[in-house]
Amino acid sequence: MMEKNRELGNILKSMGRVMVAFSGGVDSTFVLKRAEQELGASNVLAVVVASELFRNEELEGAVKLATEMGVPIQKTEIKELDNEAIVANTPESWYHSKKMLYSHLNQLADEKGYPYVLDGMIMDDLDDFRPGLRARTEAGVRSVLQEAKLYKQEIRDLSRAMDLPVWDKPASCSLASRIPYGVKIDREKINQVNEAEKFIAKLGFDMVRVRHHGDVARIEVVPEQMIEVMESSNKIYLKLKSLGFSYISVDLRGYRTGSMNEVLEDKTLNVDVG
């Protein structure tokens, strides 16, 4: 692990000046911190991208964290719901979403004079369904954690040793990942999922997904907390009912990333999960 971290340092040193796509998650935070250590804050720019498909709280948290780290910040935004290929919500929509993001970042990097754009993709992503990898490669964006062969647990361990506050932060993903393929994405569905998950999280459930099946909400929490969900069932039912769901269920298999991908017959497709 330490040898991989040293290799990451060498990779970063060779770049000189970098822009980091910064979400405030454990992976991009580690990239940003290591870039700042190796290149100095004046040679690193944290770009925080607002999106209609991610929570505002994620954006605000990322800005706050980058500020505390003493790294220059650039806030920008993309309008994914203006792109029909994304709204269509097919497995290929994830490719188009990442393509929009990386194109935007490359344009910004050219304007600001940064020769490299870095993201936070890790080795674990190579074993998952992620068309974003193709969009990343096409855009020439560098996944330095993959280049250094670093896995999620190693990054968490290194981040903890560096006292990074997000070392144990749960993974987050586009809210669109809660909607079944073939069902068009719109602001109403995104808002329903967002408000439902925020409410349940405030009850003490850190790992929660609310999958949107029309008038049915399918709740995923870790198996150890299923009894607690039932103990809070009345509160959850009333809240989700007020959001427009007629039926509320708990998935007996519990929380897992990419559960919407389980219906895909073609496992060769690369699909981002959340």
Side-chain angles (χ1 to χ4, degrees), residues 6 10 48 68-69 87 94 106 112 141 148 158 201 226 240:
R6 283 190 289 271
N10 293 333
V48 180
E68 292 171 351
M69 293 169 67
V87 170
W94 297 104
N106 277 337
K112 298 289 184 180
V141 170
L158 289 166
M226 283 187 184
L240 271 60

Side-chain angles (χ1 to χ4, degrees), residues 107-127:
Q107 181 179 349
L108 189 60
D110 288 341
E111 293 172 359
K112 298 289 184 180
Y114 287 86
Y116 297 100
V117 176
L118 313 184
D119 71 6
M121 286 195 180
I122 59 177
M123 288 299 291
D124 307 65
D125 295 328
L126 297 177
D127 297 325

Side-chain angles (χ1 to χ4, degrees), residues 141-187:
V141 170
R142 298 281 293 271
S143 299
V144 291
L145 299 180
Q146 285 185 353
E147 293 178 29
K149 311 297 184 186
L150 281 160
Y151 288 84
K152 174 68 80 175
Q153 191 55 53
E154 293 173 319
I155 295 164
R156 289 195 186 279
D157 291 342
L158 289 166
S159 297
R160 185 177 188 180
M162 294 164 61
D163 291 323
L164 294 178
V166 296
W167 71 270
D168 60 346
K169 182 179 178 180
S172 62
C173 186
S174 166
L175 293 167
S177 67
R178 281 56 150 183
I179 301 170
Y181 294 118
V183 177
K184 285 192 173 184
I185 302 167
D186 58 40
R187 288 178 178 83

Side-chain angles (χ1 to χ4, degrees), residues 3 13 19-21 25 30 39 47-48 57 61 72 86 92 109 125 140 160 167 169 177 184 206 209 218 225 264 269:
E3 181 59 35
K13 285 177 184 176
M19 172 186 289
V20 178
F30 184 69
L39 303 175
V47 178
V48 180
E57 291 85 353
I86 297 173
E92 275 295 288
D125 295 328
R160 185 177 188 180
W167 71 270
K169 182 179 178 180
S177 67
K184 285 192 173 184
D206 292 333
R209 293 288 187 266
R218 174 167 58 91
Q225 290 190 307
L264 293 177
L269 286 172

Side-chain angles (χ1 to χ4, degrees), residues 28-61:
S28 66
T29 298
F30 184 69
V31 171
L32 186 65
K33 183 60 179 179
R34 291 294 285 114
E36 183 270 332
Q37 288 177 333
E38 298 294 346
L39 303 175
S42 61
N43 290 313
V44 179
L45 179 65
V47 178
V48 180
V49 182
S51 163
E52 301 156 302
L53 304 183
F54 285 83
R55 294 190 176 96
N56 288 332
E57 291 85 353
E58 293 288 331
L59 170 70
E60 295 165 0

